[in-house]
Amino acid sequence: MATMSSGPTRPERQISLPLTQAFKIALRNITIRLGRAMITASGTLLGIAFLMSVFTGNEIQVARNAVIEVAQQNKNTWLVVMSLLVTLVGITNAMLMSVTERYKEIGTMKCLGALDNFIVKLFLIESALLGFFGSLIGALLGALIMLLSATSVWGDINWLKILMYFGICIVIGTSLSVLAAVAPALRAAKMQAIDAMRTEV
Amino acid sequence: MADKKMKSNGVQGGIDPQASAHNASADAIVASGATTSAGSSNNVEEDYAGAEYVVRVRDVKRTFSVGGQPVHALRGVDLDIKRGEYISIMGPSGSGKSTLFNMVGGLDKPTDGTVFIDEVDIAQLDAFELAWMRCRKIGYIFQTFNLIPVMSALENITLPMIFAGADLEEQMDKGRKLLEAVGIAHRMHNKPSQLSGGQQQRVAIARSLANDPAIILADEPTGNLDQATGKEIIELLKRLNKESGVTVITATHDDKMLNVSDRIVWIADGRVEQIKLRSEVDINVGSMHGV
């Protein structure tokens, strides 16, 4: 029994998932489930389209030298905040579904040596990509719809500001999407390697 | 069905004087916490030398709490698995077979007692070290294959190598070699959905070998395959076991698995019911079928 008391030999600490590989896997996860991914992304798309349309609408008002009513602006802010919250909840829900759907895949990755943070990384990157593309298209749509309805004032519009709002929308959309994925990603990371063995669906 | 078979083996063992002696010693093992199988009882001292055993299970108990009621899945199990051995764990569902299997594979920790995998007490490991061990020391094979659906066969095999920090060239090189070894190199760029069950299991076997593990842990590897394909997979596992010296531990209901196993462990009611060498089982099975 003497050999058993020699104490545990600690394995060397080296295990990793490079960011480029994580991106590759996350992108694959999106493309293979494109239908679902598009539904998830459409939440961001709609929310950001609305935000961008409000921004653009404001600029059009400015270009028209119209008086911007404070009450109207407050209402708009309220609507934008609400719509973004709805977006947030929608993405969280979609990601949670996607996590439960992939329990076996996550368990398998853990069996192959994935750490909790690999799983978190994969889900956050996936959500960031979805958020980025969703808000890109959403911002384009929101801006276009408003601008096409006001072609007469194009000469007076501050395009630099529109571009700036466009950037802001993408940043907000992407971060919102990542934020919404935090809870589902943590839940995914908590799944155990042993879940890979489960046979029931 | 498998349950019945196991019982009939048990009965036969009881009739055969040699086997019953082994049964008795197996019981003694459970009682005393002394070493291993019937076959090696004459050189107990040498067996303790250490590195020869890749898995050592010492008086392991595992209790789950189901609805506030304690359920004793394992009631004190001792088991030693030699390096390079091919072991099958059999037992009806609810016997504790899966619990023991998960324990041996570092997927679960004992409530009481110790499990050493490659001389490491798994209860002492933190999450990082457990992940490291799963990555480097243990290769898992599943009943449902569990390939990552978004990745090609080759990518599935290189994933554990990515985790282990291998460079790209090494990954590709080794990935190809492993696919050749399991006879499926021509499908390396196919997605799992484009492969048959047997082909998927071959990829899974190649993946389990990616980081040269000490142990391959196969959970009902033939459970979702037809008889002929199952036989091929068993033969492949046995060949890899012989060629690379990797320890293979399977949990199975498949009688075909008995013919290639060095030892068979029967679990019943949370205890080791009996441990038999293949030669003993061969005799029994042979006399049963009149071959």
Side-chain angles (χ1 to χ4, degrees):
Chain A
M1 298 294 263
T3 48
M4 281 163 66
S5 58
S6 59
T9 34
R10 298 250 159 193
E12 59 174 296
R13 290 181 162 259
Q14 194 215 333
I15 194 163
S16 64
L17 176 62
L19 209 57
T20 48
Q21 289 291 347
F23 254 100
K24 224 170 99 182
I25 297 171
L27 200 61
R28 290 278 187 76
N29 274 330
I30 292 172
T31 49
I32 205 152
R33 301 177 180 89
L34 201 59
R36 172 180 289 261
M38 277 167 73
I39 294 171
T40 313
S42 66
T44 321
L45 189 151
L46 293 174
I48 292 302
F50 183 54
L51 176 65
M52 188 62 194
S53 71
V54 170
F55 279 152
T56 316
N58 274 347
E59 281 311 299
I60 289 169
Q61 296 284 68
V62 169
R64 280 181 175 144
N65 290 321
V67 183
I68 300 169
E69 285 174 47
V70 177
Q72 180 64 33
Q73 217 171 12
N74 280 347
K75 196 179 145 204
N76 277 349
T77 312
W78 170 244
L79 282 175
V80 163
V81 169
M82 284 314 287
S83 72
L84 291 182
L85 279 180
V86 170
T87 301
L88 193 82
V89 174
I91 300 170
T92 304
N93 186 35
M95 291 300 279
L96 276 175
M97 297 263 304
S98 148
V99 166
T100 27
E101 206 178 66
R102 286 190 235 170
Y103 72 89
K104 193 170 266 183
E105 206 177 312
I106 297 164
T108 306
M109 283 209 172
K110 287 242 169 134
C111 280
L112 300 181
L115 293 168
D116 289 9
N117 72 53
F118 293 9
I119 309 291
V120 172
K121 218 194 261 181
L122 286 177
F123 273 94
L124 290 189
I125 291 174
E126 187 177 325
S127 193
L129 287 171
L130 283 178
F132 177 77
F133 290 118
S135 45
L136 188 72
I137 298 168
L140 273 175
L141 274 181
L144 274 180
I145 287 167
M146 291 312 277
L147 287 170
L148 287 178
S149 65
T151 41
S152 56
V153 290
W154 277 22
D156 300 320
I157 281 180
N158 186 346
W159 291 101
L160 200 69
K161 232 171 164 188
I162 296 280
L163 201 67
M164 187 189 82
Y165 282 134
F166 194 80
I168 290 176
C169 278
I170 288 177
V171 170
I172 290 179
T174 311
S175 8
L176 215 59
S177 192
V178 173
L179 190 71
V182 167
L186 289 178
R187 187 172 156 166
K190 265 202 217 123
M191 288 193 168
Q192 300 295 313
I194 204 167
D195 286 330
M197 300 278 182
R198 275 162 55 188
T199 42
E200 82 274 21
V201 179
Chain B
M1 181 71 190
D3 194 347
K4 221 171 159 186
K5 169 84 188 177
M6 192 209 76
K7 280 199 179 115
S8 74
N9 269 330
V11 170
Q12 287 236 343
I15 294 162
D16 175 19
Q18 192 195 6
S20 77
H22 289 313
N23 284 352
S25 65
D27 285 343
I29 290 158
V30 173
S32 67
T35 190
T36 177
S37 85
S40 54
S41 49
N42 48 352
N43 55 349
V44 171
E45 297 305 318
E46 280 174 43
D47 287 353
Y48 265 121
E52 192 191 345
Y53 289 107
V54 71
V55 174
R56 292 188 294 162
V57 177
R58 285 285 169 274
D59 194 28
V60 160
K61 297 185 178 80
R62 181 73 170 95
T63 309
F64 297 100
S65 176
V66 180
Q69 292 287 325
V71 173
H72 303 283
L74 294 177
R75 297 162 182 271
V77 169
D78 291 274
L79 180 67
D80 292 282
I81 299 173
K82 281 188 200 128
R83 208 170 282 279
E85 212 173 9
Y86 194 122
I87 283 230
S88 288
I89 301 175
M90 300 193 97
S93 55
S95 60
K97 173 188 67 168
S98 303
T99 311
L100 175 63
F101 183 75
N102 293 335
M103 213 73 85
V104 165
L107 295 174
D108 197 4
K109 287 178 179 179
T111 314
D112 199 14
T114 42
V115 177
F116 294 91
I117 297 176
D118 229 10
E119 299 302 303
V120 177
D121 178 359
I122 59 163
Q124 308 282 329
L125 299 183
D126 61 26
F128 191 105
E129 289 161 330
L130 269 175
W132 187 93
M133 194 182 73
R134 287 180 193 133
C135 186
R136 308 282 188 116
K137 293 274 181 197
I138 304 171
Y140 298 88
I141 297 169
F142 307 93
Q143 181 176 359
T144 48
F145 322 132
N146 289 24
L147 298 177
I148 309 292
V150 298
M151 296 179 172
S152 71
L154 183 61
E155 287 165 330
N156 261 287
I157 295 169
T158 52
L159 187 63
M161 298 186 220
I162 292 172
F163 290 164
D167 59 51
L168 191 69
E169 204 178 325
E170 192 185 338
Q171 288 171 28
M172 292 300 141
D173 201 42
K174 199 163 176 197
R176 286 208 178 87
K177 272 187 194 144
L178 284 170
L179 279 167
E180 272 163 29
V182 299
I184 201 165
H186 58 296
R187 306 301 297 271
M188 68 167 79
H189 296 301
N190 284 91
K191 294 267 159 64
S193 56
Q194 298 164 322
L195 301 172
S196 71
Q199 288 171 329
Q200 287 189 48
Q201 198 61 303
R202 282 169 190 269
V203 175
I205 290 171
R207 180 178 67 181
S208 74
L209 289 164
N211 290 327
D212 301 313
I215 303 167
I216 287 186
L217 204 70
D219 178 39
E220 306 258 6
T222 59
N224 277 18
L225 300 172
D226 62 67
Q227 291 289 322
T229 316
K231 194 157 177 273
E232 283 171 31
I233 292 296
I234 289 170
E235 278 161 9
L236 175 61
L237 278 173
K238 184 61 189 177
R239 179 164 66 79
L240 293 169
N241 165 249
K242 268 188 191 153
E243 282 172 5
S244 65
V246 64
T247 311
V248 176
I249 304 169
T250 72
T252 186
H253 283 118
D254 193 337
D255 295 335
K256 296 192 290 298
M257 199 66 99
L258 300 185
N259 292 326
V260 298
S261 305
D262 296 323
R263 279 193 296 157
I264 300 107
V265 180
W266 275 277
I267 305 292
D269 200 23
R271 297 176 198 279
V272 174
E273 193 186 47
Q274 53 174 327
I275 302 175
K276 283 196 180 186
L277 297 172
R278 178 178 49 205
S279 52
E280 300 161 3
V281 176
D282 271 347
I283 294 163
N284 286 344
V285 171
S287 65
M288 261 171 69
H289 296 299
V291 176

